[in-house]
Amino acid sequence: MDKKLAQFANEDTPLKWICPPVSGREMLREVLKYSSKPQLQANDIWVINADDKWNCFSKQSWLYNSTEKAQTAIRTHTQIYLQCSPLLSEQRCIVMVENTDNNWRLWQIVRCETTLMNFLKQALRKQPNKLAFSILKCATRYANFLSEINYYNTCFSPSLQTLGINQENQLIYLGILSEKIEKQPILDKDEFIQIIGAAFLEPINEALANIEVNNVIQELMKIEDSKQQYLKEMLIQLFSQAKIAL
């Protein structure tokens, strides 16, 4: 597959190749203020990080050799964007770029927000009572998102890095939206515990030296009105295992 530098949009990109057209054009202008070049990641995804304010994504396969294929692709991505909009940032758009060698490349653009990973790391620096409350809130938000995507027929890749918190304190998806239309698997509690526990384990271990583990466990046990009792028990187990490993 051709891996030469992916081309990006410019201010002259026609509105018909931007979704949503007007606000998307403004987002594109913001991105273009920063002279960032696309970088090809190991997973064959081109990424532009514009001064930690915007992320732009383009799969290596989002390259089309005709106008007709480009039109079909942007229609497909627009339909997915509209369907999933309740879980997405309003500061997100799709842009189709006409390259100089007569092909087309699709980009997804999204503004950077505070991620759940940021939220978790901040929580792990708090005093035990506030740490316990915040980390349970973080786990609950993650679990709620995993439940919510069951209603969408497209592929999300939820993680602590791809889930963010916007200015309205709502959880939103910041990662790539796949063009593949397929039903998300319905998860049970054991699967929730496995996914969230695995995501939390490394950040907890990294912060362990500065955590009063016994006090955090006690504070977690005091939380009685949690609707996600199984998440509280998971966190207690994680901290208990971490304490043994010290």
Side-chain angles (χ1 to χ4, degrees), residues 155-174:
C155 289
F156 293 87
S157 298
S159 70
L160 292 173
Q161 291 84 2
T162 62
L163 297 179
I165 303 167
N166 65 13
Q167 293 179 349
E168 289 74 40
N169 202 32
Q170 298 169 327
L171 194 64
I172 52 175
Y173 181 66
L174 303 174

Side-chain angles (χ1 to χ4, degrees), residues 184-198:
Q184 297 284 319
I186 297 176
L187 305 176
D188 59 28
K189 286 186 177 181
D190 289 339
E191 289 169 316
F192 280 128
I193 290 171
Q194 183 178 2
I195 292 170
I196 299 172

